[in-house]
Amino acid sequence: LYDAKTTLRSTVLVPTAKVGPQPWKYTTDAPAEGWHQPDFDDSAWTTGMSAFGAKRTDIVPVNTVWNTANIHLRKEFNLAEAPTGEIWLDVLHDDDVEVFLNGKSVLKLPNRVGNYQLNPLGPEAVQALKPGKNVIAVSCRQDRGGQNVDVGVLQVDKVAP
């Protein structure tokens, strides 16, 4: 992907709970159609602080209890300008997760991970973001065992050596 001389610089667009609890709108009920679209009205959803899960983990504190089969999350964020470089997601999930940017599905991951994982996205993720209001939407399904979800968005740029 990158050679040893490549330096990467990241800019946090949506922080994870690793830097402190972050507010998200969420529901554990089946959401209405189009819930992941930017113009969806989530005003009836509850506001909770990340990370979401069944109990505290060694990875990150659980700030909002989630102990049902599914959770759906939404968060608005603003960009001063269209992103350059690449878009990466920093994702902690147990179990299956799907992430949308402005209504476009940009990442699906099965099962679980034991810690946060960086996931470089394709050019469609950069194209999905725009100056002004943007929306990230996340769906996570619990199967068995541990239970948690937290997602952040990074802009990653190559810096000339």
Side-chain angles (χ1 to χ4, degrees), residues 25-98:
K25 298 292 261 181
Y26 77 97
T27 185
T28 56
D29 296 328
E33 189 168 328
W35 69 273
H36 56 285
Q37 296 297 327
D39 58 353
F40 179 80
D41 180 7
D42 61 14
S43 61
W45 289 24
T46 304
T47 299
M49 302 302 280
S50 62
F52 296 81
K55 63 180 181 176
R56 179 178 172 79
T57 68
D58 293 335
I59 301 163
V60 67
V62 168
N63 292 298
T64 302
V65 174
W66 162 46
N67 56 13
T68 61
N70 294 284
I71 191 167
H72 305 279
L73 310 167
R74 289 175 52 85
K75 183 176 188 62
E76 289 185 10
F77 62 102
N78 287 301
L79 296 177
E81 57 190 22
T84 59
E86 298 177 6
I87 298 298
W88 292 21
L89 297 180
D90 194 5
V91 183
L92 172 69
H93 67 98
D94 188 353
D95 290 302
D96 305 340
V97 70
E98 183 171 11

Side-chain angles (χ1 to χ4, degrees), residues 75-130:
K75 183 176 188 62
E76 289 185 10
F77 62 102
N78 287 301
L79 296 177
E81 57 190 22
T84 59
E86 298 177 6
I87 298 298
W88 292 21
L89 297 180
D90 194 5
V91 183
L92 172 69
H93 67 98
D94 188 353
D95 290 302
D96 305 340
V97 70
E98 183 171 11
V99 181
F100 302 84
L101 291 174
N102 288 332
K104 180 165 189 56
S105 177
V106 294
L107 182 70
K108 287 184 184 179
L109 297 171
N111 305 319
R112 64 173 284 280
V113 293
N115 206 335
Y116 286 87
Q117 289 187 343
L118 290 172
N119 298 272
L121 303 179
E124 70 279 358
V126 174
Q127 295 164 0
L129 298 175
K130 61 187 182 350

